[in-house]
Protein backbone atom coordinates (compact mmCIF):
# COMPACT_ATOMS: atom_id res chain seq x y z
CA UNK A 1 0.00 0.00 0.00
CA UNK A 2 1.32 3.43 -0.95
CA UNK A 3 2.01 6.01 1.72
CA UNK A 4 -0.25 8.22 -0.41
CA UNK A 5 -3.30 6.05 0.30
CA UNK A 6 -6.04 8.18 1.87
CA UNK A 7 -4.01 11.37 1.51
CA UNK A 8 -5.82 14.56 0.44
CA UNK A 9 -3.77 16.31 -2.24
CA UNK A 10 -4.24 19.75 -3.77
CA UNK A 11 -2.61 19.78 -7.20
CA UNK A 12 -1.97 23.28 -8.52
CA UNK A 13 -1.40 23.54 -12.26
CA UNK A 14 0.10 26.66 -13.81
CA UNK A 15 0.31 27.67 -17.46
CA UNK A 16 3.18 25.82 -19.05
CA UNK A 17 3.36 23.20 -21.79
CA UNK A 18 4.19 20.55 -19.16
CA UNK A 19 0.61 20.91 -17.91
CA UNK A 20 -0.32 18.14 -20.34
CA UNK A 21 1.56 15.69 -18.06
CA UNK A 22 -0.77 16.37 -15.15
CA UNK A 23 -3.38 13.99 -16.55
CA UNK A 24 -0.93 11.15 -15.87
CA UNK A 25 0.02 12.66 -12.52
CA UNK A 26 -3.61 12.80 -11.33
CA UNK A 27 -4.16 9.24 -12.49
CA UNK A 28 -1.10 8.01 -10.56
CA UNK A 29 -2.22 9.78 -7.37
CA UNK A 30 -5.70 8.28 -7.67
CA UNK A 31 -4.26 4.83 -8.37
CA UNK A 32 -2.20 5.16 -5.17
CA UNK A 33 -5.40 5.73 -3.21
CA UNK A 34 -5.17 9.50 -2.79
CA UNK A 35 -7.93 12.11 -3.09
CA UNK A 36 -7.00 14.89 -5.52
CA UNK A 37 -8.38 18.40 -5.79
CA UNK A 38 -7.11 20.19 -8.88
CA UNK A 39 -6.71 23.99 -9.01
CA UNK A 40 -5.78 25.51 -12.36
CA UNK A 41 -4.56 28.96 -13.24
CA UNK A 42 -6.57 30.47 -16.11
CA UNK A 43 -3.56 30.17 -18.44
CA UNK A 44 -3.15 26.45 -17.74
CA UNK A 45 -6.51 25.73 -19.38
CA UNK A 46 -4.88 26.53 -22.74
CA UNK A 47 -2.76 23.37 -22.33
CA UNK A 48 -5.16 20.83 -20.77
CA UNK A 49 -8.90 20.92 -20.20
CA UNK A 50 -10.58 21.01 -16.78
CA UNK A 51 -12.93 18.27 -18.04
CA UNK A 52 -10.03 15.85 -18.48
CA UNK A 53 -8.71 16.49 -14.97
CA UNK A 54 -12.17 16.47 -13.39
CA UNK A 55 -12.89 13.08 -14.99
CA UNK A 56 -9.61 11.62 -13.74
CA UNK A 57 -9.79 13.14 -10.23
CA UNK A 58 -13.53 12.48 -9.84
CA UNK A 59 -13.86 15.99 -8.39
CA UNK A 60 -14.75 19.38 -9.87
CA UNK A 61 -11.75 21.43 -10.96
CA UNK A 62 -11.39 24.95 -9.55
CA UNK A 63 -9.79 27.81 -11.46
CA UNK A 64 -11.40 31.01 -10.17
CA UNK A 65 -12.69 32.46 -6.92
CA UNK A 66 -16.27 31.56 -7.82
CA UNK A 67 -17.98 28.66 -9.53
CA UNK A 68 -18.25 29.91 -13.07
CA UNK A 69 -20.86 27.37 -14.12
CA UNK A 70 -23.29 28.84 -11.58
CA UNK A 71 -23.26 32.39 -12.90
CA UNK A 72 -26.53 33.61 -14.40
CA UNK A 73 -26.56 33.36 -18.16
CA UNK A 74 -28.41 36.64 -18.31
CA UNK A 75 -26.33 38.33 -20.94
CA UNK A 76 -25.36 40.96 -18.38
CA UNK A 77 -21.61 41.43 -18.38
CA UNK A 78 -19.84 40.83 -15.04
CA UNK A 79 -23.07 39.71 -13.34
CA UNK A 80 -22.35 38.92 -9.71
CA UNK A 81 -25.70 37.38 -8.84
CA UNK A 82 -25.96 33.89 -7.35
CA UNK A 83 -22.20 33.30 -7.38
CA UNK A 84 -20.82 30.56 -5.12
CA UNK A 85 -17.38 31.18 -3.66
CA UNK A 86 -14.54 28.66 -4.01
CA UNK A 87 -13.13 29.03 -0.51
CA UNK A 88 -9.36 28.95 -0.87
CA UNK A 89 -8.92 28.82 2.93
CA UNK A 90 -11.04 25.68 3.24
CA UNK A 91 -9.24 24.07 0.31
CA UNK A 92 -5.87 24.78 1.92
CA UNK A 93 -6.98 23.39 5.28
CA UNK A 94 -8.45 20.29 3.62
CA UNK A 95 -5.13 19.22 2.10
CA UNK A 96 -2.58 16.87 3.66
CA UNK A 97 -0.11 18.35 1.21
CA UNK A 98 -0.06 20.58 -1.87
CA UNK A 99 1.96 20.28 -5.05
CA UNK A 100 2.34 22.84 -7.81
CA UNK A 101 3.19 21.07 -11.07
CA UNK A 102 4.13 22.48 -13.43
CA UNK A 103 5.43 25.45 -11.48
CA UNK A 104 6.27 28.11 -14.05
CA UNK A 105 8.68 30.98 -13.45
CA UNK A 106 5.70 33.33 -13.23
CA UNK A 107 3.83 31.28 -10.62
CA UNK A 108 7.00 30.64 -8.60
CA UNK A 109 7.68 34.37 -8.47
CA UNK A 110 4.12 35.04 -7.29
CA UNK A 111 4.41 32.37 -4.60
CA UNK A 112 7.75 33.71 -3.42
CA UNK A 113 6.56 37.32 -3.25
CA UNK A 114 2.96 36.89 -2.16
CA UNK A 115 1.39 38.20 -5.36
CA UNK A 116 -2.09 36.81 -4.86
CA UNK A 117 -3.97 37.34 -8.11
CA UNK A 118 -5.46 33.89 -8.70
CA UNK A 119 -7.06 31.03 -6.77
CA UNK A 120 -3.97 28.84 -6.94
CA UNK A 121 -1.67 31.35 -5.22
CA UNK A 122 -4.40 32.30 -2.74
CA UNK A 123 -4.73 28.63 -1.76
CA UNK A 124 -0.96 28.30 -1.51
CA UNK A 125 -0.74 31.30 0.83
CA UNK A 126 -3.54 29.84 2.97
CA UNK A 127 -2.20 26.28 3.15
CA UNK A 128 -0.79 25.01 6.43
CA UNK A 129 0.30 21.66 4.97
CA UNK A 130 3.62 20.69 3.36
CA UNK A 131 4.05 22.14 -0.13
CA UNK A 132 5.99 20.63 -3.04
CA UNK A 133 6.69 22.36 -6.33
CA UNK A 134 7.98 20.94 -9.62
CA UNK A 135 9.56 23.67 -11.78
CA UNK A 136 9.06 23.61 -15.54
CA UNK A 137 10.55 26.20 -17.88
CA UNK A 138 13.18 26.70 -20.54
CA UNK A 139 16.88 26.38 -19.72
CA UNK A 140 17.73 30.09 -19.56
CA UNK A 141 14.64 30.85 -17.47
CA UNK A 142 15.56 28.03 -15.08
CA UNK A 143 19.06 29.46 -14.62
CA UNK A 144 17.99 33.11 -14.39
CA UNK A 145 18.92 34.84 -11.10
CA UNK A 146 15.29 35.81 -10.44
CA UNK A 147 14.20 32.16 -10.71
CA UNK A 148 17.05 31.00 -8.51
CA UNK A 149 16.01 33.65 -5.98
CA UNK A 150 12.43 32.31 -6.08
CA UNK A 151 13.77 28.80 -5.38
CA UNK A 152 15.75 30.07 -2.38
CA UNK A 153 12.82 31.99 -0.96
CA UNK A 154 10.36 29.12 -1.34
CA UNK A 155 12.77 26.63 0.25
CA UNK A 156 13.32 29.07 3.13
CA UNK A 157 9.54 29.02 3.65
CA UNK A 158 9.75 25.25 4.17
CA UNK A 159 8.56 24.29 0.68
CA UNK A 160 10.20 21.32 -1.08
CA UNK A 161 11.47 21.51 -4.64
CA UNK A 162 11.16 18.47 -6.90
CA UNK A 163 14.19 19.09 -9.11
CA UNK A 164 13.65 19.63 -12.79
CA UNK A 165 15.08 17.02 -15.12
CA UNK A 166 17.45 17.40 -18.07
CA UNK A 167 16.18 16.69 -21.57
CA UNK A 168 14.60 18.15 -24.65
CA UNK A 169 12.66 21.35 -23.94
CA UNK A 170 9.69 22.90 -25.72
CA UNK A 171 11.98 25.50 -27.30
CA UNK A 172 13.91 22.75 -29.05
CA UNK A 173 16.91 23.25 -26.79
CA UNK A 174 18.16 20.50 -24.54
CA UNK A 175 19.07 21.07 -20.91
CA UNK A 176 17.79 21.47 -17.38
CA UNK A 177 14.28 22.80 -16.82
CA UNK A 178 12.08 19.93 -17.93
CA UNK A 179 9.38 19.10 -15.34
CA UNK A 180 10.03 15.79 -13.58
CA UNK A 181 8.06 12.94 -15.10
CA UNK A 182 4.81 12.09 -13.26
CA UNK A 183 6.17 8.71 -12.08
CA UNK A 184 9.26 10.45 -10.67
CA UNK A 185 7.14 13.10 -8.93
CA UNK A 186 5.04 10.43 -7.22
CA UNK A 187 8.15 8.47 -6.19
CA UNK A 188 9.82 11.62 -4.86
CA UNK A 189 6.80 12.48 -2.70
CA UNK A 190 6.33 8.89 -1.52
CA UNK A 191 9.99 8.65 -0.47
CA UNK A 192 9.84 12.03 1.27
CA UNK A 193 6.67 11.21 3.20
CA UNK A 194 7.86 7.70 4.02
CA UNK A 195 11.16 8.95 5.46
CA UNK A 196 9.31 11.38 7.74
CA UNK A 197 6.83 8.89 9.22
CA UNK A 198 7.18 8.99 13.02
CA UNK A 199 7.39 5.20 13.51
CA UNK A 200 9.66 4.50 10.56
CA UNK A 201 12.07 1.69 11.56
CA UNK A 202 10.01 0.59 14.58
CA UNK A 203 8.74 -2.99 14.92
CA UNK A 204 5.33 -3.40 16.52
CA UNK A 205 3.91 -6.74 17.61
CA UNK A 206 0.10 -6.82 17.95
CA UNK A 207 -2.33 -9.54 18.96
CA UNK A 208 -5.94 -9.50 17.78
CA UNK A 209 -9.17 -11.44 17.88
CA UNK A 210 -10.37 -14.27 20.12
CA UNK A 211 -8.76 -17.61 20.84
CA UNK A 212 -10.62 -20.89 20.39
CA UNK A 213 -9.94 -23.55 23.02
CA UNK A 214 -10.89 -26.95 21.63
CA UNK A 215 -13.35 -29.20 23.48
CA UNK A 216 -13.34 -31.77 20.70
CA UNK A 217 -12.62 -31.61 16.94
CA UNK A 218 -15.78 -29.54 16.25
CA UNK A 219 -16.47 -27.57 19.44
CA UNK A 220 -14.54 -24.91 21.31
CA UNK A 221 -14.66 -22.32 24.08
CA UNK A 222 -14.38 -18.81 22.65
CA UNK A 223 -15.70 -15.26 22.92
CA UNK A 224 -17.34 -12.56 20.82
CA UNK A 225 -14.20 -10.61 19.88
CA UNK A 226 -14.24 -9.62 16.19
CA UNK A 227 -10.55 -8.67 16.11
CA UNK A 228 -11.38 -5.24 14.68
CA UNK A 229 -9.53 -3.28 17.36
CA UNK A 230 -6.29 -5.18 16.75
CA UNK A 231 -6.62 -4.96 12.97
CA UNK A 232 -7.28 -1.21 13.16
CA UNK A 233 -4.17 -0.87 15.32
CA UNK A 234 -2.11 -2.77 12.75
CA UNK A 235 -3.32 -0.58 9.87
CA UNK A 236 -2.76 2.62 11.85
CA UNK A 237 0.74 1.56 12.93
CA UNK A 238 1.66 0.75 9.32
CA UNK A 239 0.34 4.14 8.21
CA UNK A 240 2.79 5.72 10.66
CA UNK A 241 5.62 3.74 9.07
CA UNK A 242 6.01 0.88 11.53
CA UNK A 243 6.75 -2.69 10.51
CA UNK A 244 3.89 -4.71 12.02
CA UNK A 245 3.56 -8.36 12.95
CA UNK A 246 -0.08 -9.16 13.68
CA UNK A 247 -0.75 -12.40 15.54
CA UNK A 248 -4.42 -13.03 14.90
CA UNK A 249 -6.91 -15.41 16.39
CA UNK A 250 -9.81 -16.64 14.22
CA UNK A 251 -11.55 -13.74 12.47
CA UNK A 252 -13.15 -12.86 9.14
CA UNK A 253 -10.94 -9.75 8.84
CA UNK A 254 -7.98 -9.37 6.51
CA UNK A 255 -5.25 -6.83 5.77
CA UNK A 256 -3.50 -5.99 2.51
CA UNK A 257 -0.50 -3.89 3.44
CA UNK A 258 3.16 -4.56 2.68
CA UNK A 259 4.12 -3.38 6.18
CA UNK A 260 1.81 -5.83 7.97
CA UNK A 261 2.62 -9.52 8.29
CA UNK A 262 -0.17 -11.70 9.68
CA UNK A 263 0.41 -14.89 11.66
CA UNK A 264 -2.80 -16.88 12.19
CA UNK A 265 -3.32 -18.90 15.37
CA UNK A 266 -6.27 -20.58 17.06
CA UNK A 267 -5.53 -21.25 20.71
CA UNK A 268 -4.07 -19.28 23.59
CA UNK A 269 -1.13 -21.67 23.65
CA UNK A 270 -0.38 -21.02 19.97
CA UNK A 271 -0.66 -17.25 20.50
CA UNK A 272 1.65 -17.45 23.53
CA UNK A 273 4.23 -19.38 21.51
CA UNK A 274 4.18 -16.92 18.59
CA UNK A 275 4.36 -13.86 20.87
CA UNK A 276 7.47 -15.20 22.59
CA UNK A 277 8.98 -16.17 19.24
CA UNK A 278 8.95 -12.54 18.03
CA UNK A 279 8.92 -10.46 21.23
CA UNK A 280 12.67 -9.98 21.58
CA UNK A 281 12.89 -8.16 18.22
CA UNK A 282 9.87 -5.91 18.88
CA UNK A 283 10.00 -2.29 20.02
CA UNK A 284 6.31 -2.25 21.00
CA UNK A 285 3.84 -4.95 22.01
CA UNK A 286 0.09 -4.31 21.99
CA UNK A 287 -2.02 -7.10 23.47
CA UNK A 288 -5.40 -6.37 21.90
CA UNK A 289 -6.50 -10.00 21.61
CA UNK A 290 -9.26 -11.38 23.84
CA UNK A 291 -7.33 -14.43 24.99
CA UNK A 292 -9.29 -17.18 26.77
CA UNK A 293 -8.58 -17.31 30.50
CA UNK A 294 -9.40 -21.03 30.68
CA UNK A 295 -9.26 -24.03 28.37
CA UNK A 296 -10.48 -27.62 28.64
CA UNK A 297 -8.01 -29.67 30.59
CA UNK A 298 -8.55 -32.59 28.25
CA UNK A 299 -9.53 -32.36 24.58
CA UNK A 300 -11.53 -35.24 23.14
CA UNK A 301 -10.01 -36.79 20.03
CA UNK A 302 -13.45 -37.53 18.57
CA UNK A 303 -16.72 -35.64 18.55
CA UNK A 304 -18.45 -35.99 21.90
CA UNK A 305 -21.83 -37.67 21.46
CA UNK A 306 -25.01 -36.31 22.98
CA UNK A 307 -25.69 -39.24 25.29
CA UNK A 308 -25.62 -37.88 28.85
CA UNK A 309 -28.21 -35.65 30.55
CA UNK A 310 -25.44 -33.42 31.84
CA UNK A 311 -21.87 -32.94 30.85
CA UNK A 312 -18.98 -31.47 32.83
CA UNK A 313 -15.88 -29.94 31.27
CA UNK A 314 -12.90 -29.53 33.57
CA UNK A 315 -11.03 -26.31 32.82
CA UNK A 316 -7.51 -25.16 33.52
CA UNK A 317 -5.93 -21.72 33.35
CA UNK A 318 -4.22 -20.59 30.19
CA UNK A 319 -0.85 -18.88 30.40
CA UNK A 320 -1.19 -15.11 30.80
CA UNK A 321 0.61 -13.85 27.70
CA UNK A 322 0.94 -10.24 28.84
CA UNK A 323 2.29 -11.18 32.25
CA UNK A 324 4.78 -13.61 30.74
CA UNK A 325 6.05 -10.88 28.40
CA UNK A 326 6.12 -8.29 31.18
CA UNK A 327 8.43 -10.57 33.14
CA UNK A 328 11.02 -10.62 30.37
CA UNK A 329 10.65 -7.20 28.75
CA UNK A 330 13.71 -5.04 28.35
CA UNK A 331 13.32 -2.08 25.98
CA UNK A 332 9.81 -2.91 24.79
CA UNK A 333 6.87 -0.57 25.30
CA UNK A 334 4.20 -2.94 26.61
CA UNK A 335 0.51 -2.10 26.15
CA UNK A 336 -2.37 -4.22 27.40
CA UNK A 337 -6.16 -4.13 27.22
CA UNK A 338 -8.56 -4.73 30.07
CA UNK A 339 -12.29 -5.39 29.82
CA UNK A 340 -13.93 -4.83 33.21
CA UNK A 341 -17.47 -4.80 34.57
CA UNK A 342 -16.87 -3.46 38.11
CA UNK A 343 -14.14 -1.60 40.03
CA UNK A 344 -12.75 -0.85 36.59
CA UNK A 345 -10.02 1.66 37.44
CA UNK A 346 -8.66 -0.24 40.44
CA UNK A 347 -8.66 -3.57 38.64
CA UNK A 348 -6.87 -2.01 35.66
CA UNK A 349 -4.22 -0.45 37.92
CA UNK A 350 -3.59 -3.85 39.49
CA UNK A 351 -3.01 -5.30 36.02
CA UNK A 352 -0.56 -2.52 35.16
CA UNK A 353 1.47 -3.42 38.24
CA UNK A 354 1.15 -7.20 38.08
CA UNK A 355 1.96 -7.46 34.37
CA UNK A 356 4.66 -4.77 34.29
CA UNK A 357 2.79 -2.73 31.68
CA UNK A 358 3.66 0.74 30.41
CA UNK A 359 0.07 1.47 29.43
CA UNK A 360 -3.30 -0.22 29.74
CA UNK A 361 -6.38 0.49 27.65
CA UNK A 362 -9.44 0.00 29.82
CA UNK A 363 -12.83 -0.95 28.37
CA UNK A 364 -15.90 -1.03 30.57
CA UNK A 365 -19.01 -2.99 29.63
CA UNK A 366 -20.90 -0.36 31.60
CA UNK A 367 -20.20 2.13 28.79
CA UNK A 368 -22.59 2.10 25.86
CA UNK A 369 -20.76 1.57 22.58
CA UNK A 370 -17.73 -0.14 24.16
CA UNK A 371 -16.60 -3.75 24.07
CA UNK A 372 -16.88 -6.57 21.55
CA UNK A 373 -18.53 -6.69 18.17
CA UNK A 374 -19.16 -2.99 17.50
CA UNK A 375 -17.46 -0.30 15.46
CA UNK A 376 -16.98 2.07 18.41
CA UNK A 377 -15.15 1.96 21.72
CA UNK A 378 -14.89 4.08 24.84
CA UNK A 379 -11.60 3.65 26.62
CA UNK A 380 -9.58 5.00 29.51
CA UNK A 381 -5.78 5.09 29.37
CA UNK A 382 -3.81 4.34 32.53
CA UNK A 383 -0.03 4.59 32.45
CA UNK A 384 2.63 3.00 34.65
CA UNK A 385 2.48 5.96 37.04
CA UNK A 386 -1.29 5.33 37.40
CA UNK A 387 -2.23 8.54 35.62
CA UNK A 388 -5.79 8.15 34.32
CA UNK A 389 -6.89 9.58 30.96
CA UNK A 390 -10.59 8.98 30.17
CA UNK A 391 -11.54 9.33 26.50
CA UNK A 392 -14.81 10.02 24.70
CA UNK A 393 -16.75 7.44 22.70
CA UNK A 394 -14.97 7.10 19.35
CA UNK A 395 -14.73 4.77 16.37
CA UNK A 396 -12.23 1.96 16.81
CA UNK A 397 -10.11 3.54 14.08
CA UNK A 398 -9.93 6.75 16.15
CA UNK A 399 -9.11 4.80 19.31
CA UNK A 400 -6.34 3.00 17.42
CA UNK A 401 -4.92 6.35 16.37
CA UNK A 402 -5.04 7.63 19.98
CA UNK A 403 -3.04 4.58 21.08
CA UNK A 404 -0.48 5.11 18.32
CA UNK A 405 -0.16 8.77 19.32
CA UNK A 406 0.80 7.56 22.81
CA UNK A 407 3.48 5.36 21.28
CA UNK A 408 4.81 8.16 19.08
CA UNK A 409 4.97 10.49 22.10
CA UNK A 410 7.16 7.95 23.90
CA UNK A 411 9.75 7.96 21.12
CA UNK A 412 9.64 11.72 20.64
CA UNK A 413 10.18 12.42 24.34
Amino acid sequence: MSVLSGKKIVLGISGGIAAYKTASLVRLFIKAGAHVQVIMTPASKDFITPLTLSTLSKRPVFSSFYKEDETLDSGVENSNQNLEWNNHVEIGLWADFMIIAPATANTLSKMANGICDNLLVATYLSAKCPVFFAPAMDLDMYKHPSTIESFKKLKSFGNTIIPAETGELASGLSGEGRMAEPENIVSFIENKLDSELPLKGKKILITAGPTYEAIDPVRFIGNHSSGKMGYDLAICAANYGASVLLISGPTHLSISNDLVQVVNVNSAEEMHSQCHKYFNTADVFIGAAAVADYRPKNTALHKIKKTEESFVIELEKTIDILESLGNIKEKQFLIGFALETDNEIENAKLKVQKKNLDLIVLNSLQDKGAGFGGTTNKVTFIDSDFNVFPMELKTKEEVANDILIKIIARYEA
Side-chain angles (χ1 to χ4, degrees), residues 198 222 321:
I321 296 173

Side-chain angles (χ1 to χ4, degrees), residues 337-387:
F337 276 69
L339 180 63
E340 301 290 342
T341 58
D342 58 85
N343 297 322
E344 293 97 337
I345 299 295
E346 292 308 312
N347 285 335
K349 286 181 177 179
L350 288 173
K351 288 183 178 180
V352 170
Q353 188 173 39
K354 181 182 179 183
K355 302 182 183 187
N356 194 22
L357 303 181
D358 296 290
L359 184 72
I360 198 163
V361 183
L362 170 63
N363 300 271
S364 171
L365 284 183
Q366 307 298 327
D367 293 324
K368 185 177 180 180
F372 292 152
T375 59
T376 60
N377 209 348
K378 186 175 185 299
V379 304
T380 298
F381 294 122
I382 304 175
D383 64 22
S384 56
D385 294 322
F386 302 136
N387 297 307

